[in-house]
């Protein structure tokens, strides 16, 4: 097999994370051959840092290169569906950061759109974008690799093996993700990100739960177990009387979330067609570093998967500068006191494994473990939850 040529669209956090994990694979297998960014300066800087020969601010120029077989899309979510369709039409395979897409506004929408556009209309728009990507992928015969790292994380992989070893059924899947807020200024506005924590963070939890029930169904029944309804609740907890009271007392300095028209807290219940439930809690107001967990409550056991803090390494420092030169874990506010730094965050959270699977899937002409159907279904479930939160009742899928 020839070396797989990759073009990166984007030059910020997601692009750097993917580049770090391509670098772990042999250059005989995969080579990053181009980068495209919003400005020539940022693209050139990233290309020089990673010894990439070609840098541009013209996406079409990246797509036109014969030595690039697949495009890794790490641009803001509002550009995802457009960039994916253009890549598919150019005959390029696609690797895409979550989420697949969303609703980002149309001409005539009153702004800020998160406060004025009905969620039912948003759901239709998001579904249209998602289905347009799936149609383009299928029509052009390219692979679509959905970068949902929870599917690949070793704790979730072990959870699958334990479920397979059991004879029981999953009655409830419970997922949680929280931290103290996104560092991106774009995360504050619906028109930039397509929603708040429910889309930006919830894509992980929803994707993992949908994947596990689909996998359980194929294992036990020969067909996937599908979501049939959603019940959601969302809130902006930063702009509340409780939050303001703490701010006036000088006790509100660590949470960085400051939304304009998106939520920073969400709770979602998913009903599956076998009668089981999924329960998801998401928050941008959780201190203590990134927390990501999935628990399977089964008829014959309980399995808890923790993808972040674990006690393989523990540190104590009376001063926050004690370990200032070493990375601990994402979103940690301070290195003072007791902490649990991650030994290898990219591996433990599944980033290395997903890149390896994507490269293998494209080179071997097979479907990746996380593909276009999961990406589309995540969008549908999340926007149904937004509609449910607005109406106060279940929404049927």
């Amino acid at each position: 097999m020839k070396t797989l040529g990759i073009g990166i669209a984007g030059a910020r956090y997601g692009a750097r994370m993917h580049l770090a994990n391509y670098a772990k694979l042999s250059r005989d297998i995969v080579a990053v051959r181009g980068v495209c960014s919003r400005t020539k300066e940022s693209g050139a800087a990233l290309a020089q840092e990673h010894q990439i020969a070609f840098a541009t601010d013209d996406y079409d120029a990246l797509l036109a290169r014969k030595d690039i077989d697949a495009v890794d899309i790490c641009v803001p979510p509002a550009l995802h569906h457009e960039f994916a369709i253009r890549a598919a039409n150019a005959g390029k395979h696609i690797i895409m950061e979550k989420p697949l897409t969303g609703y980002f506004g149309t001409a005539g929408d009153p702004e800020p759109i998160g406060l004025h556009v009905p969620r039912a209309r948003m759901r239709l728009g998001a579904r249209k974008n998602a289905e347009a990507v799936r149609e383009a992928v299928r029509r052009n015969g390219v692979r679509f690799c959905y970068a949902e790292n929870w599917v690949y994380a070793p704790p979730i992989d072990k959870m699958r093996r334990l479920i397979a070893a059991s004879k029981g059924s999953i009655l409830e899947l419970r997922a949680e993700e929280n931290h103290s807020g996104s560092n991106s200024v774009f995360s504050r506005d619906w028109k930039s990100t397509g929603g708040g924590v429910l889309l930006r963070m919830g894509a992980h939890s929803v994707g993992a739960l949908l994947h596990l029930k689909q996998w359980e169904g194929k294992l036990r029944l020969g067909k996937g177990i599908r979501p049939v309804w959603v019940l959601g609740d969302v809130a902006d907890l930063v702009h509340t009387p409780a939050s303001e009271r703490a701010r006036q007392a000088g006790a509100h300095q660590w949470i960085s979330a400051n939304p304009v028209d998106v939520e920073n807290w969400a709770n979602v219940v998913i009903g599956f067609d076998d009668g089981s439930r999924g329960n998801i809690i998401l928050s941008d107001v959780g201190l203590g570093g990134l927390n990501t967990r999935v628990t399977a409550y089964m008829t014959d056991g309980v399995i808890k998967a923790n993808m972040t803090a674990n006690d393989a390494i523990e540190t104590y420092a009376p001063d926050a500068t004690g370990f200032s030169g070493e990375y601990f874990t994402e979103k940690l506010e301070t290195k003072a006191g007791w902490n649990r730094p991650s030994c290898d965050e990219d591996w433990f959270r599944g980033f290395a494994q997903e890149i390896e699977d994507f490269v293998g899937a494209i080179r071997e002409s097979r479907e990746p473990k996380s593909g276009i159907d999961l990406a589309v279904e995540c969008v549908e479930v999340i926007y149904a939850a937004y509609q449910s939160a607005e109406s106060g009742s279940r929404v049927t899928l």
Side-chain angles (χ1 to χ4, degrees):
M1 298 181 188
K2 72 169 188 174
T3 301
L4 183 71
I6 300 288
I8 299 278
R12 294 187 180 273
Y13 179 80
R16 291 178 178 279
M17 179 180 63
H18 284 204
L19 280 167
N21 288 290
Y22 285 121
K24 296 173 184 177
L25 301 176
S26 168
R27 291 186 65 84
D28 292 335
I29 295 175
V30 62
V32 179
R33 292 173 172 156
V35 59
C36 174
S37 67
R38 187 174 58 87
T39 66
K40 290 181 179 179
E41 293 75 16
S42 61
L46 186 68
Q48 183 177 12
E49 181 182 340
H50 291 271
Q51 299 180 322
I52 300 170
F54 176 74
T56 181
D57 61 353
D58 182 354
Y59 187 51
D60 287 329
L62 189 75
L63 295 178
R65 290 188 65 93
K66 302 289 187 184
D67 61 346
I68 289 177
D69 306 295
V71 178
D72 190 332
I73 299 174
C74 300
V75 296
L79 299 174
H80 278 191
H81 65 281
E82 175 199 342
F83 272 45
I85 292 169
R86 288 167 66 184
N89 289 340
K92 308 297 185 184
H93 303 290
I94 300 162
I95 297 168
M96 180 182 283
E97 259 302 326
K98 59 81 187 171
L100 170 62
T101 187
Y103 182 84
F104 309 99
T106 58
D109 279 350
E111 293 197 18
I113 64 173
L115 301 181
H116 299 291
V117 178
R119 299 303 186 254
R121 184 171 146 202
M122 286 188 170
R123 183 183 174 197
L124 289 174
R127 180 190 295 160
K128 179 180 178 181
N129 290 342
E131 290 295 351
V133 175
R134 179 154 60 185
E135 190 277 331
V137 166
R138 290 177 174 173
R139 172 167 41 84
N140 289 286
V142 298
R143 298 289 168 191
F144 185 97
C145 304
Y146 180 49
E148 180 39 71
N149 59 287
W150 284 27
V151 170
Y152 294 92
I156 298 297
D157 186 49
K158 184 65 172 179
M159 176 178 276
R160 280 191 297 264
R161 298 202 302 272
L162 289 166
I163 292 168
S166 160
K167 295 182 180 179
S169 297
I170 299 172
L171 298 180
E172 180 194 0
L173 284 170
R174 194 176 298 176
E176 176 184 5
E177 180 171 9
N178 58 67
H179 56 60
S180 58
S182 172
N183 295 323
S184 171
V185 295
F186 298 109
S187 68
R188 303 175 64 221
D189 303 293
W190 197 295
K191 66 181 180 181
S192 298
T193 55
V197 295
L198 180 50
L199 183 66
R200 177 169 47 82
M201 294 164 63
H204 290 308
S205 298
V206 171
L209 267 56
L210 295 178
H211 164 78
L212 286 168
K213 288 302 292 184
Q214 176 83 349
W215 177 85
E216 181 197 18
K218 289 180 178 178
L219 178 71
R220 305 280 197 240
L221 308 170
K223 63 177 183 178
I225 297 169
R226 314 302 310 183
V228 291
W229 58 260
V230 178
L231 180 64
D233 185 24
V234 300
D236 173 2
L237 299 183
V238 168
H239 299 112
T240 59
S243 187
E244 182 58 31
R245 183 172 66 247
R247 192 172 285 110
Q248 291 175 1
H252 198 320
Q253 58 180 313
W254 294 107
I255 296 171
S256 61
N258 186 26
V260 172
D261 61 340
V262 299
E263 78 288 346
N264 53 38
W265 177 91
N267 189 5
V268 177
V269 179
I270 304 172
F272 291 95
D273 63 13
D274 67 345
S276 63
R277 297 289 190 269
N279 190 16
I280 297 167
I281 299 176
L282 308 157
S283 173
D284 254 348
V285 297
L287 299 179
L290 180 65
N291 175 37
T292 57
R293 300 169 187 267
V294 176
T295 303
Y297 292 93
M298 303 183 64
T299 55
D300 58 349
V302 177
I303 309 166
K304 294 187 175 185
N306 178 2
M307 286 159 286
T308 43
N310 64 80
D311 60 2
I313 296 248
E314 294 184 288
T315 64
Y316 175 81
D319 188 283
T321 63
F323 301 109
S324 60
E326 179 64 19
Y327 177 78
F328 271 31
T329 187
E330 186 180 353
K331 302 295 182 184
L332 186 65
E333 293 84 21
T334 179
K335 294 177 182 176
W338 282 104
N339 274 302
R340 296 175 174 180
S342 178
C343 297
D344 185 343
E345 197 166 65
D346 281 359
W347 177 83
F348 206 79
R349 292 169 59 192
F351 295 118
Q353 294 88 334
E354 71 176 8
I355 292 297
E356 184 177 14
D357 181 49
F358 296 161
V359 170
I362 295 170
R363 295 181 80 236
E364 298 161 18
S365 297
R366 61 171 174 80
E367 283 299 306
K369 190 179 292 183
S370 177
I372 185 63
D373 292 333
L374 178 63
V376 171
E377 193 165 57
C378 279
V379 172
E380 171 61 14
V381 168
I382 288 168
Y383 272 83
Y386 278 128
Q387 185 178 346
S388 170
E390 182 182 63
S391 68
S393 59
R394 287 183 181 181
V395 169
T396 302
L397 297 171

